[in-house]
Amino acid sequence: MSSTHAGSVASPFRQPKAVFAVAFACVVSFMGIGLVDPILPAISHELHASPSEVTLLFTSYLVVTAVAMLITNWVSSRIGAKKTLIAGLILIVVFSAAAGASPSINGIIGFRAGWGVGNALFIATSLAVIVASASGGFAGAIVLYETALGVGIAIGPLLGGTLGEISWRGPFYGVAALMAIALIATIVLVEPLPKPAHKTALSAPLRALKHRGLLTMSLTALCYNWAFFTVLGYAPFPMNLSPIELGLVFTGWGIFVALFAVFGAPRLQASLGIAKTMYANLAAFAVVVLVIAIWTTDRAVLIPAVIISGIFIGVNNTVTTQAVMTVSPVEKPVASASYGFVRFIGGGLAPYAAGRMVLAVNIHFPFYIAVGAILLGIGILTTAHGLLTEAERIQSEQVTGSPAAEPASPGPVGALIPVDANAEPARPGARVILAAVDSSPAGALVTEAAGVLAADHGGVVHVVHTQEEATAGDVAIDGESLDAARAVVRNHLDQLAARHVPAEGHILLHAADHGAAGRMIAEYANTIGASTIVVGAATHRGLPALMDDSATHELSRLARSDIMIVSPDAPGRLIAADGYDTAAQAG
């Protein structure tokens, strides 16, 4: 999620129909993570296939998804996001229906591979289409995307188990029918989107892995995903439950995944930082998988352990993605494709390897190997500890000096880029007012209020805009461009110049979410000794507030300045000597 300040978020559920069409498709797509789990034993029994053969449903799907991730940006940069999304939906509909109609396990495995190509195309473009089609900026769109992620992961196993009680073919046909509805709605409702300004090279994701930080984090994710999909792909067999019972077990698992991916991970990251959260979470996940390894045949232990593992899977999915985007120096879509390629390879190979290890050793062995994979991932992560520490330092430390020249790249997370200053001279030692702004009407009110305070006290205004990010779950796209952010700041500088109020503008780069935006603004305000911070009134309520701390909350917690909250609905008026006024309330 992203934010420019607390007052910039429209309700995520007041969106154009096109957004809901794609969000519905996202729900169905995310169902696929746990949809087939409840029917694995049934397929094994009815098609006379061994568990290791049945686990190839995961392997073919995920390995092909991984390889296809390498071409998704190449495709979408040439035909556009909408056409790529539609192509992905068509492939999912066709191959999920074909899998349901298949008379053999080999046929299902092959059709799942085709489904994986469609899934890769869909993953690569769904967030971009939602953001481009949504009203209210990045934040509302990403709240909706994360809601779809949570709902899909949570109800996928339940739908799979319910339809699986009728027939193992039911979940495949169910996905085909639901995705067909989403396909029609997308074709009808989503407007054509402009193609990217430049075409992505086919080799870009592989070349990106030359960067040590991206490669290290991706390999850590590969090890983690090995354990994740060992649990997901093979744990259903020793449980010896009916499809609906398995559906209920993995629904509990999915609820934990969704809750901790969307709600828990951002708070842990804010409290502990990326590195500590990853170390602690991976260690806890290793303990849970060790419990599964020891008591694999004891359902009273196995079932709760699998459900509880969803907590650590949810946290890791979100935090690892944030870590990848923090250390990666390449464009977000390319970094996301590189990361997806490596981690899905691990997830795809693990279930089949588990089946073979059971045949060669015993049913406990693949879970012990999964514990080893997690520990190996922790070891790999330690080699990137310096990179993560530096990235977190940059996130929390604002650069107050003006560089001689702006960097060619957008700059590190949290870095500050000076934009300009208006022509009004500021007196030495003038009181500093910080205005946290965006392009919304509330942003204009913030600047007005800051101008009033500066004019009344002979002060200078620092206009600060936090550049919006677009990272959700385990997907990332490019956020607000630097040129767009500069335009926002210059507009507010012009507004103050018209009132003869001295001001200078700055951009804080790459705020990952609302809470991060508030923390970044508070740190900058403390650095420059701002006497007052002026922000827009929070519309960050309800579900968005549960998903992420508001900027206002983090400001009040960390800033050493007075805080003024500006609202169009505030009953009081600030009146300057020249009649210049704005609605405001003290914070």
Side-chain angles (χ1 to χ4, degrees), residues 484-497:
R486 286 192 185 98
V488 169
V489 173
R490 288 191 179 112
N491 179 62
H492 288 275
L493 290 176
D494 291 343
Q495 183 180 341
L496 291 166

Side-chain angles (χ1 to χ4, degrees), residues 171-515:
F172 295 115
Y173 288 136
V175 167
L178 292 172
M179 276 302 200
I181 295 170
L183 171 62
I184 294 169
T186 299
I187 292 171
V188 173
L189 297 175
V190 176
E191 295 293 329
L193 300 174
K195 295 178 183 179
H198 67 276
K199 295 178 180 180
T200 302
L202 192 59
S203 60
L206 288 176
R207 285 190 286 107
L209 291 173
K210 293 179 180 179
H211 297 287
R212 188 170 74 86
L214 177 57
L215 178 61
T216 302
M217 297 309 305
S218 298
L219 290 174
T220 300
L222 183 152
C223 295
Y224 149 76
N225 271 273
W226 186 283
F228 170 11
F229 282 96
T230 297
V231 173
L232 189 65
Y234 208 85
F237 291 103
M239 287 183 190
N240 195 25
L241 300 172
S242 68
I244 187 63
E245 290 171 332
L246 280 172
L248 290 171
V249 169
F250 281 95
T251 294
W253 167 87
I255 289 171
F256 275 134
V257 172
L259 289 176
F260 281 85
V262 176
F263 304 121
R267 284 165 171 73
L268 284 172
Q269 184 179 324
S271 300
L272 302 177
I274 293 176
K276 288 182 181 178
T277 299
M278 290 189 69
Y279 285 127
N281 190 70
L282 287 172
F285 186 40
V287 171
V288 173
V289 178
L290 181 61
V291 169
I292 294 173
I294 296 171
W295 287 282
T296 309
T297 56
D298 187 341
R299 289 194 301 184
V301 178
L302 175 63
I303 291 172
V306 168
I307 293 172
I308 290 170
S309 73
I311 294 173
F312 310 106
I313 289 168
V315 171
N316 207 77
N317 283 348
T318 297
V319 177
T320 304
T321 303
Q322 188 62 50
V324 169
M325 298 308 150
T326 298
V327 302
S328 175
V330 299
E331 294 174 328
K332 280 186 166 48
V334 173
S336 187
S338 303
Y339 165 63
F341 165 68
V342 177
R343 71 187 180 92
F344 280 136
I345 289 291
L349 295 178
Y352 179 70
R356 304 306 299 178
M357 283 187 273
V358 169
L359 293 175
V361 186
N362 59 44
I363 200 167
H364 303 272
F365 190 67
F367 298 104
Y368 283 116
I369 294 298
V371 174
I374 299 171
L375 297 179
L376 176 60
I378 293 174
I380 293 172
L381 182 62
T382 61
T383 67
H385 186 80
L387 290 171
L388 284 174
T389 301
E390 176 65 11
E392 290 182 313
R393 183 193 66 77
I394 294 171
Q395 281 184 320
S396 62
E397 180 180 295
Q398 304 311 316
V399 181
T400 57
S402 299
E406 290 185 11
S409 62
V413 175
L416 181 141
I417 291 181
V419 175
D420 207 346
N422 62 26
E424 299 298 324
R427 70 180 187 185
R431 177 181 180 184
V432 177
I433 312 295
L434 189 151
V437 303
D438 66 1
S439 58
S440 71
L445 290 177
V446 166
T447 301
E448 290 183 8
V452 169
L453 292 176
D456 286 352
H457 297 88
V460 59
V461 177
H462 281 232
V463 176
V464 176
H465 173 67
T466 51
Q467 187 187 42
E468 295 189 352
E469 287 284 88
T471 301
D474 51 8
V475 180
I477 62 173
D478 285 329
E480 181 188 35
S481 71
L482 196 55
D483 286 342
R486 286 192 185 98
V488 169
V489 173
R490 288 191 179 112
N491 179 62
H492 288 275
L493 290 176
D494 291 343
Q495 183 180 341
L496 291 166
R499 294 285 179 175
H500 307 292
V501 175
E504 57 183 80
H506 300 275
I507 300 168
L508 295 173
L509 296 179
H510 312 319
D513 52 42
H514 284 77

Side-chain angles (χ1 to χ4, degrees), residues 91-132:
L91 290 174
I92 293 172
V93 170
V94 170
F95 285 108
S96 58
S102 176
S104 69
I105 185 65
N106 288 334
I108 301 174
I109 292 168
F111 292 130
R112 282 280 286 177
W115 187 344
V117 176
N119 184 58
L121 295 172
F122 181 84
I123 289 173
T125 51
S126 56
L127 178 58
V129 172
I130 284 182
V131 168

